[in-house]
Amino acid sequence: MEVSAQTSDLEQIQSWKDEVNVTRESLRSMRSHLEEIAPNKKDEDSLAQVEHFQNQFIRQMEVADEMHHDLKQSAKKISNNGQSLIIHDDRPVDDVDVMLDRMQTFRKLYNELQEEFKGFSAFS
């Protein structure tokens, strides 16, 4: 029974890693699109929005990188049957339920950023 739960957790973590990779690629695409439309933005409000999105893309990419790293560590811990000690005071990786909660937050923040950027870039 332990093996199937372990396999299921590993499959879930791999799915999340794939999702994080897709998100990273999407962020790169949005950043590229922002670079294309930024020269057309001349007014002060638009320039502030461009800077806002630049900062948000940087931060979201940092979070995505952290998530990817932590998911790899979580998979490693599960694969080793909990024998390796992995400690992140600020980012626990040893509990699949905690990682699920983090993924849900990651998705929510990414989706909000994506929708906000769609609204901004639609007026380009």
Side-chain angles (χ1 to χ4, degrees), residues 63-76:
V63 171
D65 290 344
E66 289 171 0
M67 282 299 301
H68 191 267
H69 174 267
D70 291 353
L71 288 165
K72 284 175 36 179
Q73 293 298 314
S74 184
K76 183 185 291 187

Side-chain angles (χ1 to χ4, degrees), residues 20-31 61 110:
V20 169
N21 283 332
V22 168
T23 300
R24 288 157 76 175
E25 191 58 40
S26 177
L27 287 165
R28 287 182 193 100
S29 176
M30 286 190 291
R31 186 177 58 211
M61 188 63 86
Y110 168 72

Side-chain angles (χ1 to χ4, degrees), residues 83-98:
Q83 293 175 357
S84 64
L85 181 60
I86 301 170
I87 299 174
H88 287 295
D89 292 334
D90 60 335
R91 302 185 330 251
V93 299
D94 58 346
D95 186 337
V96 175
D97 292 332
V98 170

Side-chain angles (χ1 to χ4, degrees), residues 8 10 12 18 21-22 30 33 42 46 53 57 61 63 66 78 87-88 95-96 109 112 115-119 122:
S8 175
L10 285 172
Q12 181 62 66
D18 293 343
N21 283 332
V22 168
M30 286 190 291
H33 184 59
K42 307 287 185 199
S46 293
F53 285 113
F57 294 153
M61 188 63 86
V63 171
E66 289 171 0
I78 291 169
I87 299 174
H88 287 295
D95 186 337
V96 175
L109 294 174
E112 288 172 358
E115 288 304 310
E116 183 183 4
F117 184 66
K118 280 181 186 178

Side-chain angles (χ1 to χ4, degrees), residues 4-16:
S4 67
Q6 181 181 8
T7 301
S8 175
D9 288 348
L10 285 172
E11 289 171 355
Q12 181 62 66
I13 289 169
Q14 183 58 48
S15 171
W16 291 336

